[in-house]
Amino acid sequence: MAERQVKLAAEYQEATARWVKDFVVEYNICPFAKRELERGSIYYQVVMGTQPEALLQSLLLECLRLDEHAEIETSLVILPELEDFEDYLDVLDWAEQLLQQQGYEGVYQLASFHPNYCFAGASPNDVSNYTNRAPYATLHLIREQTISRLTALHPDPESIPERNIALTEKLGISSLKQLLAACKG
């Protein structure tokens, strides 16, 4: 059974890495991701299960990993079994509270992705949701200092979300579904 878990974890990690390369970087969803992909400074951690306490403990361990390893710029905590979007939003809310309680506010920023991501007030089929859709539920820890530095260098960081929405509208729902499915292999 443990061997199967290791194989599954590797598949989840590979799918998420494909998503970063083939969607996030290829379509410039995050203009800062290409540099980190090329540097090999993205860490992928698969966490099995759905129990919020265990998932939050894993997130905290990732913060500690980032504390101890300056060569890791960003960490993607992949939660493949957290399939229900509402449950994911609960975990995300608790994760943000945990980062604040543990003194990580201003140190790490949390970005969120889920295969069924839906912005508040948006229809589930709205193409703009794909800017935050990933093959699996993912909590993305980003060094706040790096974000501040890179956004200061970007000519118009406020335009990134608008640009991404325009891109998803141009690509269309069918293409976006195919892109996401292709990442899973």
Side-chain angles (χ1 to χ4, degrees):
M1 187 66 169
E3 190 175 314
R4 172 137 172 78
Q5 289 290 87
V6 169
K7 185 175 190 255
L8 279 174
E11 289 173 13
Y12 299 137
Q13 180 179 333
E14 289 168 15
T16 303
R18 269 193 303 276
W19 168 73
V20 168
K21 180 181 176 281
D22 296 345
F23 181 66
V24 176
V25 171
E26 181 68 25
Y27 289 93
N28 202 29
I29 299 297
C30 173
F32 317 120
K34 182 178 181 180
R35 175 180 177 261
E36 302 316 322
L37 181 66
E38 290 173 348
R39 289 177 59 216
S41 62
I42 302 171
Y43 189 83
Y44 301 87
Q45 178 64 42
V46 176
V47 180
M48 304 304 283
T50 59
Q51 293 302 312
E53 297 82 11
L55 299 178
L56 294 171
Q57 183 63 33
S58 295
L59 181 68
L60 194 54
L61 290 173
E62 281 310 301
C63 290
L64 295 172
R65 182 188 319 272
L66 288 169
D67 288 348
E68 295 171 6
H69 295 279
E71 72 278 8
I72 300 172
E73 192 59 48
T74 188
S75 183
L76 293 162
V77 181
I78 307 157
L79 312 170
E81 296 179 328
L82 195 56
E83 296 173 354
D84 183 84
F85 184 58
E86 294 301 319
D87 290 345
Y88 172 77
L89 289 177
D90 288 340
V91 170
L92 175 62
D93 185 48
W94 295 323
E96 289 171 345
Q97 291 175 37
L98 178 68
L99 291 180
Q100 185 177 17
Q101 291 168 356
Q102 296 298 314
Y104 284 115
E105 187 176 31
V107 178
Y108 301 120
Q109 189 177 103
L110 196 56
S112 60
F113 302 94
H114 191 279
N116 299 317
Y117 201 96
C118 186
F119 288 105
S123 157
N125 291 323
D126 190 321
V127 294
S128 66
N129 294 322
Y130 279 84
T131 63
N132 285 62
R133 287 196 178 172
Y136 306 102
T138 302
L139 297 174
H140 181 190
L141 285 167
I142 312 161
R143 293 181 187 279
E144 187 77 39
Q145 184 178 32
T146 301
I147 290 174
S148 297
R149 182 174 45 81
L150 293 175
T151 55
L153 297 173
H154 193 279
D156 188 11
E158 289 80 26
S159 70
I160 295 169
E162 294 161 5
R163 180 221 166 266
N164 289 343
I165 291 169
L167 173 68
T168 58
E169 288 172 353
K170 180 181 174 186
L171 289 171
I173 195 88
S174 179
S175 293
L176 291 163
K177 284 181 179 181
Q178 287 175 358
L179 280 166
L180 200 56
C183 291
K184 284 180 136 178

